[in-house]
Coordinates of all heavy atoms in Angstrom, one line a residue:
E1236 N 18.3 -12.9 -2.9 CA 17.0 -13.7 -3.1 C 16.5 -14.1 -1.8 O 17.2 -14.4 -0.9 CB 17.4 -15.0 -4.0 CG 17.6 -14.7 -5.4 CD 16.5 -14.1 -6.1 OE1 15.3 -14.7 -6.0 OE2 16.6 -13.1 -6.9
T1237 N 15.1 -14.0 -1.8 CA 14.5 -14.3 -0.5 C 13.3 -15.3 -0.8 O 13.0 -15.6 -2.0 CB 13.9 -13.1 0.1 OG1 13.0 -12.5 -0.8 CG2 14.9 -12.1 0.4
E1238 N 12.8 -15.8 0.2 CA 11.7 -16.8 0.1 C 10.5 -16.3 1.0 O 10.7 -16.0 2.1 CB 12.1 -18.1 0.6 CG 11.2 -19.3 0.2 CD 11.9 -20.6 0.6 OE1 13.1 -20.7 0.5 OE2 11.1 -21.6 1.0
V1239 N 9.3 -16.4 0.4 CA 8.2 -16.0 1.2 C 7.0 -17.1 0.9 O 7.1 -17.8 -0.1 CB 7.5 -14.6 0.9 CG1 8.4 -13.6 1.2 CG2 7.1 -14.5 -0.6
L1240 N 6.2 -17.3 1.8 CA 5.1 -18.2 1.6 C 4.1 -17.6 0.8 O 3.6 -16.5 1.0 CB 4.6 -18.4 3.0 CG 3.4 -19.4 3.1 CD1 3.7 -20.9 2.7 CD2 2.9 -19.5 4.6
E1241 N 3.7 -18.4 -0.3 CA 2.6 -17.8 -1.2 C 1.2 -18.5 -0.8 O 1.3 -19.7 -0.8 CB 3.0 -18.1 -2.5 CG 4.0 -17.1 -3.1 CD 4.2 -17.1 -4.6 OE1 4.7 -18.1 -5.1 OE2 3.7 -16.2 -5.3
I1242 N 0.3 -17.7 -0.6 CA -1.1 -18.3 -0.4 C -1.9 -18.0 -1.6 O -2.4 -16.9 -1.8 CB -1.8 -17.5 0.8 CG1 -0.7 -17.6 2.0 CG2 -3.0 -18.1 1.2 CD1 -0.4 -18.9 2.6
I1243 N -1.9 -19.0 -2.5 CA -2.5 -18.8 -3.8 C -3.5 -19.8 -4.2 O -3.8 -19.8 -5.4 CB -1.4 -18.7 -4.8 CG1 -0.5 -19.9 -4.7 CG2 -0.5 -17.5 -4.8 CD1 0.4 -20.2 -5.8
F1244 N -3.9 -20.7 -3.4 CA -4.7 -21.9 -3.6 C -6.2 -21.6 -3.6 O -6.9 -22.2 -2.6 CB -4.3 -23.1 -2.9 CG -3.0 -23.6 -3.3 CD1 -1.9 -23.1 -2.5 CD2 -2.7 -24.4 -4.3 CE1 -0.6 -23.6 -2.8 CE2 -1.3 -24.9 -4.7 CZ -0.4 -24.3 -3.9
S1245 N -6.6 -20.7 -4.5 CA -8.2 -20.3 -4.5 C -8.5 -19.9 -5.9 O -7.7 -19.3 -6.6 CB -8.4 -19.2 -3.5 OG -9.5 -18.5 -3.7
E1246 N -9.7 -20.3 -6.2 CA -10.2 -19.9 -7.6 C -10.3 -18.4 -7.8 O -10.0 -17.9 -8.7 CB -11.6 -20.5 -7.9 CG -11.4 -22.1 -8.1 CD -10.7 -22.5 -9.3 OE1 -10.8 -21.8 -10.3 OE2 -10.0 -23.5 -9.2
D1247 N -10.7 -17.8 -6.6 CA -10.8 -16.3 -6.6 C -9.5 -15.6 -7.1 O -9.5 -14.6 -7.7 CB -11.3 -15.8 -5.3 CG -12.8 -16.1 -5.1 OD1 -13.6 -16.2 -6.0 OD2 -13.1 -16.2 -3.9
Y1248 N -8.4 -16.2 -6.5 CA -7.2 -15.6 -6.6 C -6.5 -15.8 -8.0 O -5.5 -15.2 -8.4 CB -6.2 -16.3 -5.5 CG -5.0 -15.4 -5.3 CD1 -5.0 -14.0 -5.2 CD2 -3.7 -16.0 -5.2 CE1 -3.9 -13.3 -5.0 CE2 -2.6 -15.3 -4.9 CZ -2.6 -13.9 -4.9 OH -1.5 -13.2 -4.6
L1249 N -7.0 -16.6 -8.8 CA -6.5 -17.0 -10.1 C -7.0 -16.0 -11.2 O -6.7 -16.3 -12.3 CB -6.8 -18.4 -10.5 CG -6.2 -19.4 -9.5 CD1 -6.7 -20.8 -9.9 CD2 -4.7 -19.4 -9.3
K1250 N -7.5 -14.8 -10.8 CA -8.1 -13.9 -11.9 C -6.9 -13.1 -12.6 O -7.0 -12.9 -13.8 CB -8.9 -12.8 -11.2 CG -10.1 -13.4 -10.6 CD -11.0 -12.3 -9.9 CE -12.3 -12.9 -9.4 NZ -13.1 -11.8 -8.8
S1251 N -5.7 -13.1 -11.9 CA -4.6 -12.4 -12.6 C -3.6 -13.4 -13.2 O -3.5 -14.5 -12.6 CB -3.8 -11.4 -11.7 OG -2.9 -12.1 -10.9
E1252 N -2.9 -13.1 -14.2 CA -2.0 -14.0 -14.8 C -0.8 -14.3 -13.9 O -0.3 -15.4 -13.9 CB -1.5 -13.3 -16.2 CG -0.7 -14.4 -17.0 CD -1.3 -15.7 -17.4 OE1 -2.5 -15.7 -17.7 OE2 -0.6 -16.7 -17.3
E1253 N -0.4 -13.3 -13.2 CA 0.8 -13.5 -12.3 C 0.4 -14.5 -11.3 O 1.2 -15.5 -11.0 CB 1.2 -12.3 -11.6 CG 2.3 -12.3 -10.7 CD 2.6 -11.1 -9.9 OE1 2.1 -10.0 -10.2 OE2 3.4 -11.1 -8.8
N1254 N -0.7 -14.4 -10.6 CA -1.2 -15.3 -9.7 C -1.4 -16.8 -10.3 O -1.2 -17.8 -9.8 CB -2.5 -14.9 -9.0 CG -2.3 -13.7 -8.3 OD1 -1.2 -13.2 -7.9 ND2 -3.5 -12.9 -8.0
R1255 N -1.9 -16.9 -11.4 CA -2.1 -18.1 -12.2 C -0.7 -18.9 -12.4 O -0.7 -20.0 -12.2 CB -2.9 -17.9 -13.5 CG -3.5 -19.2 -14.1 CD -4.3 -19.0 -15.3 NE -4.6 -17.7 -15.7 CZ -5.9 -17.1 -15.3 NH1 -6.6 -17.7 -14.4 NH2 -6.1 -15.8 -15.6
R1256 N 0.2 -18.0 -12.8 CA 1.6 -18.7 -13.0 C 2.1 -19.2 -11.8 O 2.7 -20.3 -11.6 CB 2.6 -17.6 -13.6 CG 2.5 -17.5 -15.1 CD 3.7 -16.7 -15.7 NE 3.8 -15.4 -15.1 CZ 3.2 -14.3 -15.5 NH1 2.5 -14.3 -16.4 NH2 3.5 -13.2 -14.8
A1257 N 2.0 -18.4 -10.7 CA 2.4 -18.9 -9.3 C 1.7 -20.1 -8.9 O 2.3 -21.1 -8.3 CB 2.3 -17.7 -8.2
F1258 N 0.4 -20.2 -9.0 CA -0.3 -21.3 -8.7 C 0.2 -22.5 -9.5 O 0.3 -23.6 -8.8 CB -1.9 -21.0 -9.0 CG -2.7 -22.2 -8.8 CD1 -3.2 -22.6 -7.5 CD2 -3.0 -23.1 -9.9 CE1 -3.9 -23.7 -7.5 CE2 -3.8 -24.2 -9.8 CZ -4.2 -24.6 -8.5
N1259 N 0.2 -22.4 -10.8 CA 0.8 -23.5 -11.5 C 2.0 -24.0 -11.2 O 2.3 -25.3 -11.1 CB 0.6 -23.1 -13.1 CG -0.8 -23.1 -13.6 OD1 -1.7 -23.6 -13.0 ND2 -1.0 -22.2 -14.5
Y1260 N 3.0 -23.2 -10.9 CA 4.3 -23.5 -10.4 C 4.3 -24.4 -9.2 O 4.8 -25.4 -9.0 CB 5.1 -22.2 -10.3 CG 6.5 -22.5 -9.6 CD1 7.6 -23.0 -10.2 CD2 6.7 -22.3 -8.2 CE1 8.8 -23.3 -9.7 CE2 7.9 -22.6 -7.6 CZ 9.0 -23.0 -8.4 OH 10.1 -23.3 -7.8
H1261 N 3.6 -23.9 -8.2 CA 3.5 -24.5 -6.9 C 2.7 -25.8 -6.9 O 3.1 -26.8 -6.3 CB 2.9 -23.6 -5.8 CG 3.9 -22.5 -5.4 ND1 5.2 -22.8 -4.8 CD2 3.9 -21.1 -5.6 CE1 5.8 -21.6 -4.7 NE2 4.9 -20.6 -5.0
W1262 N 1.6 -25.7 -7.7 CA 0.7 -27.0 -7.8 C 1.4 -28.0 -8.5 O 1.4 -29.3 -8.0 CB -0.5 -26.6 -8.5 CG -1.5 -27.7 -8.6 CD1 -1.9 -28.4 -9.7 CD2 -2.1 -28.3 -7.4 NE1 -2.8 -29.4 -9.2 CE2 -2.9 -29.3 -7.9 CE3 -2.0 -28.1 -6.1 CZ2 -3.6 -30.2 -7.1 CZ3 -2.8 -28.9 -5.3 CH2 -3.6 -29.9 -5.6
N1263 N 2.2 -27.8 -9.6 CA 3.0 -28.8 -10.3 C 4.1 -29.5 -9.3 O 4.3 -30.6 -9.5 CB 3.6 -28.2 -11.6 CG 2.5 -28.1 -12.6 OD1 1.5 -28.6 -12.7 ND2 2.7 -27.1 -13.6
N1264 N 4.8 -28.5 -8.7 CA 5.7 -29.1 -7.7 C 5.2 -30.0 -6.6 O 5.7 -31.1 -6.4 CB 6.5 -28.0 -7.0 CG 7.4 -27.2 -7.7 OD1 7.9 -27.8 -8.8 ND2 7.8 -26.0 -7.4
L1265 N 4.0 -29.6 -6.1 CA 3.3 -30.4 -5.2 C 2.9 -31.7 -5.7 O 3.1 -32.8 -5.1 CB 2.1 -29.7 -4.6 CG 1.2 -30.3 -3.4 CD1 2.2 -30.5 -2.2 CD2 0.0 -29.5 -3.2
K1266 N 2.3 -31.7 -6.9 CA 1.9 -33.0 -7.5 C 3.0 -33.9 -7.7 O 2.9 -35.2 -7.7 CB 1.1 -32.7 -8.9 CG -0.2 -32.2 -8.6 CD -1.1 -32.1 -9.9 CE -0.6 -31.5 -11.0 NZ -1.4 -31.3 -12.1
N1267 N 4.2 -33.4 -8.3 CA 5.4 -34.2 -8.5 C 5.9 -34.8 -7.2 O 6.4 -35.9 -7.2 CB 6.4 -33.3 -9.3 CG 6.0 -33.1 -10.6 OD1 5.2 -33.7 -11.2 ND2 6.5 -32.0 -11.2
Q1268 N 5.9 -33.9 -6.1 CA 6.6 -34.5 -4.9 C 5.7 -35.4 -4.1 O 6.1 -36.2 -3.5 CB 7.0 -33.2 -4.1 CG 8.1 -32.4 -4.6 CD 8.4 -31.1 -3.8 OE1 7.9 -30.9 -2.8 NE2 9.1 -30.3 -4.4
L1269 N 4.3 -35.1 -4.2 CA 3.5 -35.9 -3.3 C 2.3 -36.3 -4.1 O 1.1 -35.9 -3.8 CB 3.1 -35.1 -2.1 CG 4.2 -34.7 -1.2 CD1 3.7 -33.5 -0.3 CD2 4.8 -35.6 -0.4
P1270 N 2.4 -37.1 -5.1 CA 1.3 -37.4 -6.0 C 0.2 -38.1 -5.3 O -1.0 -38.0 -5.7 CB 1.9 -38.3 -7.1 CG 3.2 -38.8 -6.6 CD 3.7 -37.8 -5.5
D1271 N 0.4 -38.9 -4.4 CA -0.7 -39.7 -3.6 C -1.5 -38.8 -2.7 O -2.6 -39.2 -2.2 CB 0.0 -40.8 -2.8 CG 0.7 -41.8 -3.7 OD1 0.3 -41.9 -4.8 OD2 1.6 -42.5 -3.1
Y1272 N -1.0 -37.5 -2.4 CA -1.8 -36.7 -1.6 C -2.3 -35.4 -2.2 O -2.8 -34.6 -1.5 CB -0.8 -36.3 -0.4 CG -0.3 -37.5 0.5 CD1 0.9 -38.0 0.1 CD2 -1.1 -37.9 1.4 CE1 1.4 -39.1 0.9 CE2 -0.7 -39.1 2.1 CZ 0.6 -39.7 1.9 OH 1.0 -40.6 2.6
E1273 N -2.3 -35.5 -3.5 CA -2.7 -34.3 -4.3 C -4.1 -33.7 -3.8 O -4.2 -32.5 -3.6 CB -2.8 -34.7 -5.8 CG -3.2 -33.5 -6.7 CD -3.1 -34.0 -8.1 OE1 -2.5 -35.0 -8.5 OE2 -3.9 -33.4 -8.9
E1274 N -5.1 -34.5 -3.8 CA -6.5 -34.0 -3.5 C -6.6 -33.5 -2.1 O -7.2 -32.5 -1.8 CB -7.5 -35.0 -3.8 CG -7.9 -35.2 -5.4 CD -8.2 -33.8 -6.0 OE1 -9.1 -33.1 -5.5 OE2 -7.5 -33.5 -7.0
R1275 N -6.0 -34.2 -1.2 CA -5.9 -33.9 0.3 C -5.3 -32.5 0.5 O -5.9 -31.7 1.1 CB -5.3 -34.9 1.1 CG -5.4 -34.7 2.4 CD -4.6 -35.8 3.4 NE -5.0 -37.1 3.1 CZ -4.6 -38.1 3.5 NH1 -3.5 -38.2 4.2 NH2 -5.1 -39.4 3.2
F1276 N -4.1 -32.4 -0.2 CA -3.4 -31.1 0.0 C -4.2 -30.0 -0.7 O -4.1 -28.8 -0.2 CB -2.0 -31.1 -0.5 CG -1.0 -31.7 0.4 CD1 -0.5 -32.9 0.2 CD2 -0.7 -31.0 1.6 CE1 0.5 -33.5 1.1 CE2 0.3 -31.4 2.6 CZ 0.8 -32.7 2.3
K1277 N -4.8 -30.2 -1.7 CA -5.6 -29.1 -2.4 C -6.7 -28.6 -1.5 O -6.9 -27.4 -1.4 CB -6.2 -29.7 -3.7 CG -6.9 -28.7 -4.6 CD -7.5 -29.1 -5.8 CE -7.9 -27.9 -6.6 NZ -8.9 -28.2 -7.6
L1278 N -7.4 -29.6 -0.8 CA -8.4 -29.1 0.1 C -7.9 -28.3 1.2 O -8.4 -27.3 1.7 CB -9.2 -30.3 0.7 CG -10.1 -31.0 -0.5 CD1 -10.6 -32.3 0.2 CD2 -11.3 -30.1 -0.8
I1279 N -6.8 -28.8 1.8 CA -6.1 -28.0 3.0 C -5.6 -26.7 2.5 O -5.9 -25.7 3.2 CB -5.0 -28.9 3.5 CG1 -5.5 -30.2 4.1 CG2 -4.1 -28.1 4.4 CD1 -4.4 -31.2 4.5
L1280 N -4.9 -26.6 1.3 CA -4.4 -25.4 1.0 C -5.6 -24.4 0.5 O -5.5 -23.1 0.8 CB -3.5 -25.5 -0.3 CG -2.1 -26.2 0.2 CD1 -1.4 -26.7 -1.0 CD2 -1.4 -25.4 1.2
E1281 N -6.7 -24.9 -0.1 CA -7.8 -24.0 -0.3 C -8.4 -23.4 0.9 O -8.8 -22.2 1.0 CB -8.9 -24.7 -1.1 CG -8.5 -24.9 -2.6 CD -9.4 -25.9 -3.4 OE1 -10.4 -26.5 -2.7 OE2 -9.4 -25.9 -4.6
F1282 N -8.4 -24.2 2.0 CA -9.1 -23.8 3.3 C -8.2 -22.6 3.8 O -8.6 -21.6 4.3 CB -9.0 -24.9 4.2 CG -9.3 -24.4 5.7 CD1 -10.5 -24.1 6.1 CD2 -8.3 -24.4 6.6 CE1 -10.8 -23.5 7.4 CE2 -8.5 -23.9 7.9 CZ -9.8 -23.5 8.2
F1283 N -6.8 -22.8 3.9 CA -5.9 -21.8 4.4 C -5.9 -20.5 3.6 O -5.8 -19.4 4.0 CB -4.5 -22.3 4.6 CG -4.3 -23.2 5.9 CD1 -4.0 -24.6 5.7 CD2 -4.6 -22.7 7.2 CE1 -4.0 -25.3 6.9 CE2 -4.6 -23.5 8.3 CZ -4.3 -24.8 8.1

Side-chain angles (χ1 to χ4, degrees):
E1236 285 298 312
T1237 60
E1238 192 175 328
V1239 296
L1240 177 65
E1241 284 192 287
I1242 307 296
I1243 53 168
F1244 294 93
S1245 164
E1246 289 297 320
D1247 288 332
Y1248 197 47
L1249 300 179
K1250 292 179 181 179
S1251 84
E1252 186 58 35
E1253 178 186 349
N1254 296 340
R1255 194 178 345 276
R1256 276 194 308 272
F1258 171 84
N1259 288 333
Y1260 170 79
H1261 291 294
W1262 186 244
N1263 288 332
N1264 283 343
L1265 183 66
K1266 287 192 309 189
N1267 291 335
Q1268 292 173 9
L1269 303 164
D1271 296 338
Y1272 299 97
E1273 180 179 334
E1274 284 307 309
R1275 185 179 303 169
F1276 274 112
K1277 184 173 188 206
L1278 290 171
I1279 292 168
L1280 293 170
E1281 284 174 349
F1282 169 75
F1283 283 114

